[in-house]
Amino acid sequence: MQCDLKSGLLGIASGAQDRAGLGGLIMRKVILWAVAGVLVAGASMADPALGLWKTEVDDGAYAHVQISPCGANVCGTIVQSFNEEGEYASPNMGKQIVREMSPTGGGAYEGEVWRPSNDKIYIGKMQVNGTKLTLKGCVAGGLFCASQQWSKVN
């Protein structure tokens, strides 16, 4: 009888271990799914500034600017240039026009802007709303700004 009682107790203890192991497995799966959900949500909340943007005409030409991550910020590089005759080989191709724009929330950014036509760098402010981007180059600590409206290229 003792043998049966002992094996019965061991069986109960073994079942408890199995249930504890099963609980641990379930908990690991729950945590794995939660982490996967956070990763998917993060990917779907990609930075709204990223992508290809068409600038306004400035001094008879406009460009396509590729905005990409640069560390924790975003930067924009001229990838194509156009004038009244069409695409042309601008000496500004490959140069960074939007520099170290740091997100400040709500689609707003602060950093620097380079204006190719006068080769000057300005205090930069950027606001993204859907397929529209407002880029400002400012002087005097941001008191005086000139702006352009860019549109997203599909």
Side-chain angles (χ1 to χ4, degrees):
M1 196 69 165
Q2 275 186 320
C3 207
D4 289 336
L5 181 59
K6 185 177 178 185
S7 62
L9 289 174
L10 286 176
I12 291 171
S14 174
Q17 280 182 330
D18 288 345
R19 285 188 296 279
L22 181 62
L25 180 63
I26 290 171
M27 183 56 82
R28 277 183 263 153
K29 284 185 178 183
V30 167
I31 290 171
L32 181 63
W33 280 107
V35 168
V38 167
L39 292 176
V40 168
S44 68
M45 296 185 325
D47 194 309
L50 300 182
L52 188 63
W53 296 87
K54 178 185 173 188
T55 69
E56 279 185 16
V57 174
D58 188 11
D59 290 335
Y62 70 93
H64 284 174
V65 175
Q66 181 67 49
I67 297 185
S68 306
C70 54
N73 301 323
V74 296
C75 297
T77 303
I78 298 171
V79 295
Q80 286 181 293
S81 295
F82 303 88
N83 60 20
E84 63 276 349
E85 297 171 11
E87 187 172 358
Y88 74 103
S90 166
N92 298 319
M93 293 285 291
K95 293 187 178 176
Q96 204 174 70
I97 190 170
V98 175
R99 300 176 176 190
E100 299 294 330
M101 285 286 185
S102 177
T104 59
Y109 300 79
E110 293 180 351
E112 294 181 335
V113 177
W114 173 62
R115 185 173 183 207
S117 62
N118 64 6
D119 195 29
K120 292 193 177 187
I121 296 173
Y122 297 93
I123 295 168
K125 296 180 182 184
M126 192 166 77
Q127 179 68 51
V128 179
N129 284 318
T131 60
K132 298 294 179 196
L133 181 150
T134 302
L135 185 69
K136 294 180 179 180
C138 306
V139 295
L143 290 176
F144 302 103
C145 301
S147 67
Q148 277 199 356
Q149 296 289 319
W150 292 7
S151 56
K152 196 138 197 183
V153 177
N154 293 332

